[in-house]
Amino acid sequence: MKKVIATLIAGLFATAAFAQTPAAPAKAETKHTKEVVKAEAKETKAVVKADAKEAVVAADAKADVASAKADAKATKAKAHQKANKAKAKAAEDKAEATAAAAK
């Protein structure tokens, strides 16, 4: 029984010694954690900002491509219209020449 009591008392002293931790390491760890969180937040913000810029550039590029395609379509339409007018005029001239030759 004396051994059990001695063990319990020794256990109490051991746990009492380890239960009290100095406050300075905890504060230092807290400060370190805050700095790490701030650094990660800055990194995340920078990544998001870069992604947003990239998205804007991509959107601008898509808009430019769409504009270029629209311009190309308009140019093609004008070219076809001019070609059709030229063909119609040539056909009309040919018909006039044929009519004049027939007289």
Side-chain angles (χ1 to χ4, degrees):
M1 187 72 173
K2 287 183 182 180
K3 287 183 181 181
V4 173
I5 293 173
T7 306
L8 288 174
I9 292 173
L12 285 173
F13 283 116
T15 56
F18 288 111
Q20 296 178 359
T21 58
K27 285 184 180 180
E29 187 174 328
T30 303
K31 184 177 180 182
H32 173 71
T33 305
K34 284 182 181 179
E35 289 173 357
V36 169
V37 169
K38 281 184 181 180
E40 287 176 353
K42 282 185 180 181
E43 179 186 6
T44 304
K45 188 176 179 180
V47 168
V48 168
K49 205 173 198 181
D51 288 344
K53 282 184 180 180
E54 185 178 321
V56 167
V57 169
D60 287 345
K62 285 182 181 178
D64 290 344
V65 168
S67 176
K69 284 183 180 179
D71 289 345
K73 276 188 177 182
T75 304
K76 284 182 183 179
K78 285 181 182 178
H80 286 301
Q81 187 178 14
K82 285 182 179 180
N84 287 339
K85 281 185 179 180
K87 286 179 186 177
K89 184 159 177 120
E92 186 180 303
D93 289 344
K94 183 179 179 183
E96 286 178 4
T98 308
K103 287 187 181 181

